[in-house]
Amino acid sequence: MARDGDAGSAAMIRLAGITRTFHLGDSVVNAVDDVDLDIGAGEYISIMGPSGSGKSTLLNLIALLDRPSAGTYRFEGREVVGLDDDALAAIRRESIGFVFQSFHLIPRLTAAANVELPLTLSGVAPAARHARVADMLAAMHLADRAGHRPAELSGGQRQRVAIARAMITAPRLLLADEPTGNLDSHSGTQVVELLEALRREQGVTLIVVTHDADLGRRAQRRIRLVDGRIDADVSD
Amino acid sequence: MNNLETGSTLAPRDAVMLAAGALDANRRRTALIVLATAIGVAAVVLLASLGEGAQRFVSGQFEALGTNLLVVMPGRNETTGGPPPVLGTTPRDLTIDDAYALAAWRDIEAIAPVMVGNAPVSVASGLEREVNVLGSTASMQSLRHLEMVQGRFLPESDPERGAAICVIGSELRQELFGSAPAVGRWLRVADRRFRVIGVLRDTGMSIGTDFDDLVIIPVASAQMLFDRESLFRIITSVRPGGDLAAASAAVHDIIAQRHEGEDDVTVITQDSVVETLGRIVGTITLGVAGISAISLAVAGILIMNVMLVAVTQRRAEIGLLKALGARTADVRGLFMLEAVMLACGGALLGLGVGLGAAFAVGQLYPSFPVATPRWAMLTAAGVAVVTGLVFGVVPARRAAALDPVDALTRR
């Protein structure tokens, strides 16, 4: 529950000069262009901007799913740019939860098995896994859906399963890329409130990429990207 | 800090469960691949079983005759086993006297001179055809374990005396005389007449000689019939407990003495014949099993193809696994596991089917000693699994190399 007042020295995330370049045929595009960004533990941040402004690319970089073409990235005080794939995977496993617009649940697995997956990948023993999954599903009001496959769940339920999966390892950073993009407004609101409750109750740092202005406004710190650059960074 | 209880990587047991789940999710695909592998394994196992059966059948035939036989052939052959050279040396003939000289050796129990040829055989009713004619003596019966259904075998008599009597095989009897009694009847072999004194029991083939379809006449009669002195073989048996090698050496000595110091015969023991034939049949078995193993390679390519398709179809899943923190090795391992499990499933099913088929053959043909050699089972299953491993490498590496962002976003 550490919410550092001084985000500068205790920044969870410290991006400096981060650039991500894509080569599309002959043209070179900087999807993220020389971004400096510090994010403190426990912050609630929304990243907005028009399509193609580099929101998702920036989020993937923060999530360690992608590697910057230039710049440095300190995650919880540790330089991560030069780390190999498995070291990055270990950080993702232990510290980062990710929620996708299209849920990305594995269709053949039940809700419970989907939620269990990160623990399985971390080598947690089956008995401990099952107990934690049951608790998590109950907390998400999904206990009665544990045995259902994704196809048998509504969109809102699927996203809640995905959030349960992201939170099952008790990460310190929760990233959501358009979490309400595939949901109706009612389910979307539920999902957003769930994410906010997790941040409030568990102190997780929450970063949401969205182009839903209402959703974006709910965050205490609002970052606006245009053409891969930070156009605005406003805190309450 | 993180509060994950134990470990930091995917446990083998969980990896197996995940891979099994993926296979289970696509049952038709799984079943087809398992089937393809199983056919290959079953083919190897069954063919090897039949080959082993053939090998045992051959040695069984020889062992039924007794392993105490020495076969003396004219001509010198440097290696044991195999026939003497067709061209080259002109060996001295083996004669009936040579044969009886061998009987003098202390360990020789019985001898039978053998002549073979074929001649037209006919009966009064006019039926005529070429039949194998074997000239020998009374001791042939005990040496080759011949049994009679009617009458008796050639009597003990002066081997130089060519009586006009014969013993015939059961098939020939049926053909010549139908259901009428054969013993006492006369038949014509080439230009000579022989009285039938006995009919052999139906035995089928016995080491290249079809005792069901031949005429056995006294050896002297055969010499006259074919107008030839030299014997085809001398079959001798060594007394139980006698020294086969010593007897063989004695045969060479005796013949050399009789042939003016020229040791110009080949002596074959049953052991060497069994060994040679066993080697031949074994080689054929290996070849046939090897050919069927090619189908395993085909199964392997199928596995690779299917796994490559799976990697493409499951890009999002692979990307997700990586996003959730699966290591490169975990992803690679999962896909390898799937390939190997397919191969193992195929190997197990194939072993079952192959052994079952071999068992069925054994039940259908009880006289054929079908036996599945262990090497065939191990090789077939081993090759299948190795095939799965080898052909699983490329898809697994491809899966592991996928970029998570790409895999998650690109459709």
Side-chain angles (χ1 to χ4, degrees):
Chain A
M1 278 294 301
R3 173 87 211 262
D4 268 281
D6 181 5
S9 61
M12 176 184 230
I13 291 165
R14 173 162 280 181
L15 305 180
I18 287 288
T19 299
R20 179 67 170 96
T21 308
F22 291 103
H23 299 267
L24 301 169
D26 290 340
S27 60
V28 174
V29 178
N30 285 341
V32 172
D33 191 0
D34 195 20
V35 165
D36 298 326
L37 183 63
D38 283 2
I39 297 171
E43 281 197 84
Y44 177 12
I45 295 176
S46 67
I47 301 178
M48 298 191 61
S51 292
S53 59
K55 308 184 292 290
S56 291
T57 304
L58 180 60
L59 198 70
N60 288 334
L61 287 167
I62 293 172
L64 302 174
L65 286 174
D66 200 1
R67 292 170 184 277
S69 311
T72 60
Y73 177 8
R74 295 184 83 80
F75 181 82
E76 296 186 323
R78 179 184 182 193
E79 180 56 55
V80 292
V81 169
L83 296 180
D84 66 19
D85 285 349
D86 286 348
L88 296 180
I91 297 174
R92 285 200 297 275
R93 228 167 27 234
E94 289 163 14
S95 309
I96 303 176
F98 205 111
V99 177
F100 307 89
Q101 176 177 0
S102 49
F103 322 132
H104 282 307
L105 300 176
I106 295 181
R108 65 169 181 277
L109 298 181
T110 62
N114 268 289
V115 174
E116 190 180 339
L117 203 49
L119 296 178
T120 308
L121 291 173
S122 299
V124 177
R129 292 202 304 252
H130 296 151
R132 279 168 66 174
V133 168
D135 289 349
M136 180 60 76
L137 286 173
M140 300 281 166
H141 308 292
L142 285 166
D144 58 335
R145 293 285 181 271
H148 291 235
R149 293 184 203 287
E152 300 159 347
L153 301 172
S154 71
Q157 287 169 339
R158 287 186 214 177
Q159 195 59 300
R160 270 155 45 215
V161 171
I163 293 168
R165 179 181 63 194
M167 291 303 295
I168 193 70
T169 55
R172 295 179 291 282
L173 175 62
L174 181 57
L175 306 170
D177 190 357
E178 304 276 12
T180 62
N182 282 0
L183 302 177
D184 60 64
S185 63
H186 176 68
S187 307
T189 307
Q190 274 191 331
V191 161
V192 170
E193 285 171 353
L194 180 58
L195 290 172
E196 289 170 354
L198 287 169
R199 175 193 161 257
R200 203 165 49 242
E201 289 156 18
Q202 301 187 20
V204 64
T205 307
L206 177 61
I207 305 178
V208 179
V209 160
T210 183
H211 47 235
D212 175 345
D214 290 336
L215 174 54
R217 266 194 297 275
R218 297 171 72 111
Q220 275 119 35
R221 182 174 169 194
R222 298 171 294 279
I223 294 171
R224 183 175 168 77
L225 283 185
V226 174
D227 293 337
R229 290 172 177 273
I230 294 180
D231 180 60
D233 184 348
V234 185
S235 298
D236 284 340
Chain B
M1 282 306 290
N2 84 76
N3 57 349
L4 299 177
E5 283 82 4
T6 51
S8 61
T9 57
L10 186 59
R13 207 188 80 109
D14 292 322
V16 169
M17 296 297 287
L18 283 173
L23 292 177
D24 185 54
N26 208 332
R27 284 189 199 155
R28 183 180 305 177
R29 186 201 75 173
T30 302
L32 285 174
I33 294 304
V34 165
L35 189 65
T37 312
I39 289 171
V41 172
V44 173
V45 168
L46 181 59
L47 288 170
S49 304
L50 295 178
E52 180 75 10
Q55 213 160 338
R56 289 185 184 197
F57 182 74
V58 168
S59 17
Q61 290 267 301
F62 275 95
E63 272 151 24
L65 290 172
T67 49
N68 61 334
L69 294 189
L70 292 178
V71 177
V72 185
M73 306 189 294
R76 189 90 185 101
N77 188 350
E78 291 306 319
T79 56
T80 57
V86 178
L87 298 171
T89 60
T90 7
R92 205 175 296 264
D93 291 346
L94 274 180
T95 64
I96 294 179
D97 287 343
D98 287 337
Y100 281 88
L102 297 180
W105 175 251
R106 55 183 157 83
D107 275 349
I108 301 275
E109 187 179 44
I111 61 113
V114 178
M115 289 201 70
V116 292
N118 50 55
V121 170
S122 61
V123 284
S125 58
L127 191 71
E128 175 175 308
R129 83 173 162 88
E130 287 282 317
V131 174
N132 286 323
V133 178
L134 195 142
S136 194
T137 62
S139 31
M140 185 69 176
Q141 184 178 15
S142 59
L143 284 170
R144 297 300 297 256
H145 304 284
L146 301 175
E147 287 176 48
M148 311 301 296
V149 278
Q150 285 160 26
R152 56 196 192 85
F153 199 72
L154 299 176
E156 296 281 356
S157 62
D158 180 357
E160 305 285 356
R161 204 178 72 83
I165 50 175
C166 70
V167 171
I168 60 175
S170 57
E171 196 182 313
L172 187 63
R173 188 207 76 87
Q174 177 67 31
E175 207 173 313
L176 294 177
F177 304 110
S179 51
V183 173
R185 302 278 293 273
W186 290 82
L187 51 77
R188 179 173 288 279
V189 181
D191 57 349
R192 288 167 184 272
R193 276 159 47 86
F194 293 86
R195 190 166 54 86
V196 178
I197 60 163
V199 179
L200 293 171
R201 181 176 295 284
D202 194 337
T203 55
M205 290 287 284
S206 171
I207 328 162
T209 310
D210 186 353
F211 278 97
D212 296 344
D213 187 23
L214 89 174
V215 177
I216 302 176
I217 59 177
V219 65
S221 304
Q223 283 179 321
M224 286 186 277
L225 191 71
F226 297 124
D227 191 20
R228 194 164 76 212
E229 281 289 298
S230 68
L231 298 174
F232 174 65
R233 297 271 190 278
I234 302 168
I235 300 177
T236 71
S237 68
V238 175
R239 221 173 288 290
D243 185 344
L244 223 61
S248 175
V251 167
H252 282 293
D253 283 350
I254 293 167
I255 297 291
Q257 273 172 31
R258 297 182 53 82
H259 289 185
E260 290 144 9
E262 202 69 40
D263 173 17
D264 56 1
V265 290
T266 300
V267 179
I268 300 177
T269 61
Q270 293 291 356
D271 282 353
S272 69
V273 175
V274 169
E275 200 180 296
T276 306
L277 274 174
R279 235 185 358 247
I280 294 167
V281 176
T283 308
I284 294 170
T285 305
L286 214 60
V288 173
I291 291 166
S292 52
I294 291 174
S295 61
L296 282 175
V298 175
I301 291 167
L302 271 175
I303 289 179
M304 177 155 81
N305 182 38
V306 158
M307 293 310 297
L308 284 173
V309 171
V311 170
T312 312
Q313 282 174 343
R314 282 157 46 196
R315 285 177 69 92
E317 179 184 328
I318 296 162
L320 175 77
L321 286 173
K322 292 192 137 194
L324 294 179
R327 297 175 312 153
T328 308
D330 292 337
V331 175
R332 196 166 51 224
L334 284 174
F335 276 79
M336 285 299 287
L337 256 179
E338 279 190 42
V340 169
M341 284 165 86
L342 284 170
C344 284
L348 282 178
L349 181 66
L351 282 179
V353 170
L355 291 173
F359 178 76
V361 170
Q363 294 293 303
L364 283 172
Y365 304 99
S367 62
F368 189 67
V370 179
T372 307
R374 182 166 302 182
W375 65 259
M377 289 192 273
L378 293 177
T379 309
V383 169
V385 173
V386 169
T387 304
L389 269 174
V390 168
F391 287 99
V393 165
V394 171
R397 290 177 77 105
R398 185 170 295 187
L402 280 183
D403 176 70
V405 175
D406 258 13
L408 281 169
T409 53
R410 216 188 282 161
R411 291 274 137 167

